[in-house]
Amino acid sequence: MSGGAGGAANACFTCHGLQGQGDGVSAPRLAGLDVGYLQKQMEDYASGLRPDDQMTRIAKALNQKDRRAVAAWYAGLPASSAPTAPTPAPAIYLSGDPSRGIVACASCHGVEGEGTGRGGNPQIAGQPAAYTLEQIDRWKSGKRRNDPRGVMAAAVKSLSDPEARAIALWLSTRPAAPAPASAAATGSASVDAAARPAASRETRRPDRSDGA
């Protein structure tokens, strides 16, 4: 966690903070995220499936046991955030746009961005807007491709820049509360969403917060 022989440049807390709260800009909050999701991201960084100049180097320097230990540590930290005034979610987040093939974000990530606790559908509430926008851009450009069956790439493909900004800004105001924990990075509601016929995905409305 301190960077070991690699020094502060490889220390987790240098970017993600001593309590895993992130830097409020480009480094995401890790505290309280689902342990299965964090495990998968560490493995994907190490394997190059989720390429990132800094994180790939750091993850590769750890063995699998240590990567799992890091994931467990951050998952166990409290996901605290300052209370914010309630604001309505963007319509595109809640309902998507069937005419453009955009699936509702809420169908996998919950109506408040709380996630599902099923490994592949992480909590996205309370993350810095700049970080969320960067991830949307990476999904759209193909720089990030470690989603089950290409669900995320398809979901954001037709999002306009104003829509992406509205989603990211709204999510940054949502409280960071931990989702139900999963045991490992296996089950995923995003996989379920991909497996549903396209017509049913387009007409689905997020009337439940567990992504089911």
Side-chain angles (χ1 to χ4, degrees):
M1 298 294 288
S2 65
N10 292 302
C12 303
F13 65 77
T14 300
C15 294
H16 296 288
L18 291 172
Q19 298 301 316
Q21 69 271 24
D23 66 0
V25 184
S26 59
R29 172 185 56 81
L30 303 181
L33 293 184
D34 176 74
V35 65
Y37 174 76
L38 290 176
Q39 287 175 7
K40 183 180 187 303
Q41 300 315 301
M42 289 297 288
E43 296 304 321
D44 288 353
Y45 280 130
S47 69
L49 185 60
R50 182 179 177 179
D52 182 89
D53 291 343
Q54 187 170 21
M55 282 303 304
T56 295
R57 172 177 52 80
I58 291 172
K60 280 185 174 180
L62 300 173
N63 60 36
Q64 188 178 67
K65 179 181 178 181
D66 287 339
R67 290 194 292 269
R68 287 179 174 272
V70 168
W73 169 262
Y74 279 119
L77 292 175
S80 60
S81 62
T84 57
T87 56
I92 195 74
Y93 179 90
L94 291 176
S95 302
D97 185 346
S99 69
R100 289 184 287 156
I102 300 176
V103 179
C105 308
S107 64
C108 289
H109 294 288
V111 295
E112 287 287 317
E114 71 274 22
T116 66
R118 297 178 62 188
N121 300 275
Q123 178 187 138
I124 52 178
Q127 295 290 18
Y131 170 78
T132 300
L133 275 173
E134 180 185 7
Q135 297 311 302
I136 291 174
D137 180 67
R138 289 189 180 196
W139 289 120
K140 292 178 74 171
S141 67
K143 292 179 181 178
R144 182 173 177 182
R145 55 188 186 278
N146 66 325
D147 53 329
R149 301 184 188 177
V151 171
M152 276 301 303
V156 302
K157 179 181 179 181
S158 299
L159 274 181
S160 68
D161 290 343
E163 287 169 337
R165 284 195 296 272
I167 289 171
L169 287 171
W170 178 76
L171 286 170
S172 71
T173 70
R174 298 300 84 210
S182 69
T186 52
S188 169
S190 60
V191 172
D192 299 339
R196 291 196 301 269
S200 67
R201 293 203 306 269
E202 289 177 353
T203 58
R204 187 180 185 279
R205 290 295 180 267
D207 56 342
R208 293 174 58 179
S209 61
D210 61 357

